[in-house]
């Protein structure tokens, strides 16, 4: 339904294919595009700063999340998580044993997904150190015919995963963040039977509703409120990534940023029920 609406602001950024990005939940957006970190102030995409070809980070950034307790962005690159603060300072938070695929944060925990779902770890960090709390192997999380896990995102006590099935379609399963017991098994989101599209990015609205971006397959709202009748709504024809923005006063969602292959677009959500 967003294809019929004009964005309230746009920033042209060519040659994107699911570039990692995250917001501080309110008016700042950080994106990694062609070896450059760009921090925007919203809603007009005003550039606060841009950091190019950082020698401190040797490998491409695989994922970004905002840590509300440490009040900084976390960047995963190879086997390392870095922090990026508002003063542009980049520091190593921790080095890990494997290549990091996806990261997410909720409450006081950080969850790390390795190597397309080889394992998932739960960590607790403070300003000085990190503590490993739990490890779950891939075989205990997904089904025997599944290929792997692409993206993890957490909200409250729930962890969502985009799971690539053996027919190359996607499924979104929901887990308890403390036990990693599966709470809900998603339904297959049909895709073309090919290796062409591996974009599968998740974003939680609440415990039961999740946004799913899949490149040229589109942006979907996955509604698991009714466990007897899961619903899937098409929102936009092309979407490589997305973030929701809160209103500072009401704390409700006020807008959505959608990443296409050529631009960042911000849409007003005040007339929609989310």
């Amino acid at each position: 339904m967003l294809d019929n609406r004009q964005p309230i602001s746009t920033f042209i950024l060519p040659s994107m294919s699911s570039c990692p990005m995250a917001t501080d939940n309110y008016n700042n957006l950080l994106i990694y595009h062609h070896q450059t970190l760009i921090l925007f102030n919203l809603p007009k995409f005003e550039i606060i700063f841009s950091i190019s070809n950082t020698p401190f980070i040797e490998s491409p950034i695989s994922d970004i999340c905002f840590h509300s307790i440490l009040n900084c962005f976390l960047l995963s690159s190879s086997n390392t998580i870095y922090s990026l603060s508002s003063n542009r300072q980049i520091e190593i938070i921790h080095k890990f044993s494997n290549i990091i695929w996806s990261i997410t944060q909720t409450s006081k925990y950080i969850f790390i997904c390795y190597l397309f779902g080889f394992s998932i770890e739960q960590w607790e960090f403070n300003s000085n150190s990190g503590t490993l709390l739990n490890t779950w192997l891939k075989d205990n999380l997904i089904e025997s015919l599944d290929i792997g896990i692409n993206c993890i995102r957490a909200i409250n006590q729930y962890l969502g995963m985009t799971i690539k099935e053996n027919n190359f379609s996607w499924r979104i399963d929901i887990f308890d963040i403390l036990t990693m017991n599966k709470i809900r098994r998603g339904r297959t989101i049909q895709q073309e039977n090919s290796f062409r599209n591996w974009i599968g990015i998740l974003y939680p609205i609440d415990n039961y509703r999740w946004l799913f971006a899949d490149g040229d397959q589109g942006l979907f709202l996955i509604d698991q409120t009714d466990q007897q009748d899961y619903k899937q709504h098409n929102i936009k024809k092309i979407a490589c990534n997305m973030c929701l923005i809160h209103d500072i006063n009401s704390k409700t969602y006020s807008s959505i940023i959608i990443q296409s292959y050529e631009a960042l677009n911000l849409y007003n959500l005040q007339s929609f029920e989310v």
Side-chain angles (χ1 to χ4, degrees):
M1 57 186 170
L2 288 178
D3 285 316
N4 299 320
R5 296 173 61 91
Q6 289 296 318
I8 60 176
S9 58
T10 295
F11 189 88
I12 303 300
L13 206 60
S15 304
M16 288 190 292
S17 181
S18 193
C19 294
M21 68 180 193
T23 72
D24 62 357
N25 292 324
Y26 295 103
N27 59 355
N28 289 323
L29 169 73
L30 181 68
I31 184 169
Y32 178 70
H33 177 258
H34 290 194
Q35 298 182 321
T36 301
L37 287 164
I38 308 172
L39 184 68
F40 295 97
N41 181 258
L42 302 172
K44 295 183 178 181
F45 291 109
E46 299 167 328
I47 296 178
I48 300 174
F49 62 75
S50 176
I51 304 174
S52 300
N53 298 316
T54 306
F56 195 61
I57 302 178
E58 298 177 353
S59 302
I61 291 169
S62 57
D63 206 0
I64 303 173
C65 73
F66 185 77
H67 198 298
S68 55
I69 297 175
L70 298 179
N71 193 32
C72 64
F73 287 98
L74 300 182
L75 321 169
S76 63
S77 173
S78 184
N79 67 336
T80 306
I81 289 182
Y82 302 86
S83 66
L84 173 63
S85 57
S86 57
N87 63 2
R88 309 187 190 191
Q89 186 172 356
I90 298 175
E91 297 180 347
I92 293 177
I93 292 288
H94 198 81
K95 287 186 175 291
F96 299 87
S97 56
N98 291 301
I99 302 300
I100 300 171
W101 205 265
S102 182
I103 58 174
T104 188
Q105 185 262 341
T106 185
S107 182
K108 58 185 178 179
Y109 305 119
I110 293 174
F111 291 87
I112 300 168
C113 177
Y114 295 108
L115 294 171
F116 202 39
F118 171 78
S119 66
I120 289 178
E121 292 180 348
Q122 178 190 29
W123 286 75
E124 184 175 351
F125 284 90
N126 55 39
S127 58
N128 299 316
S129 62
T131 302
L132 175 62
L133 302 178
N134 286 298
T135 301
W136 298 274
L137 296 178
K138 174 180 175 180
D139 292 344
N140 297 322
L141 298 172
I142 63 178
E143 299 170 7
S144 58
L145 295 179
D146 292 332
I147 298 173
I149 302 165
N150 186 60
C151 175
I152 60 171
R153 295 290 184 260
I155 183 170
N156 302 326
Q157 294 296 114
Y158 295 79
L159 183 77
M161 305 179 190
T162 59
I163 297 170
K164 197 72 167 175
E165 297 182 336
N166 65 338
N167 63 354
F168 304 107
S169 294
W170 292 103
R171 189 180 75 249
I172 296 169
D173 289 358
I174 310 299
F175 295 77
D176 181 279
I177 66 167
L178 298 179
T179 64
M180 212 55 75
N181 291 329
K182 187 183 295 184
I183 298 173
R184 295 189 300 276
R185 183 189 190 275
R187 293 180 180 172
T188 296
I189 304 170
Q190 295 294 338
Q191 306 291 288
E192 296 179 3
N193 186 13
S194 71
F195 290 96
R196 185 167 62 90
N197 191 353
W198 287 83
I199 297 173
I201 305 297
L202 198 59
Y203 195 98
I205 297 175
D206 55 33
N207 297 341
Y208 299 96
R209 296 177 300 163
W210 302 73
L211 293 170
F212 175 74
D214 193 18
D216 53 12
Q217 298 292 319
L219 177 65
F220 305 92
L221 169 62
I222 310 299
D223 189 341
Q224 300 179 337
T225 306
D226 184 349
Q227 296 192 24
Q228 303 302 317
D229 184 22
Y230 291 172
K231 293 181 172 60
Q232 176 180 308
H233 306 281
N234 290 59
I235 296 177
K236 206 171 190 312
K237 291 179 182 177
I238 294 177
C240 301
N241 207 336
M242 70 274 139
C243 294
L244 291 173
I245 301 296
H246 290 82
D247 180 87
I248 294 177
N249 297 317
S250 67
K251 309 300 183 184
T252 59
Y253 293 119
S254 61
S255 55
I256 182 172
I257 305 157
I258 298 178
Q259 180 188 127
S260 71
Y261 291 111
E262 299 295 331
L264 298 168
N265 292 294
L266 188 142
Y267 295 87
N268 189 344
L269 291 179
Q270 291 180 352
S271 59
F272 292 92
E273 184 178 343
V274 293

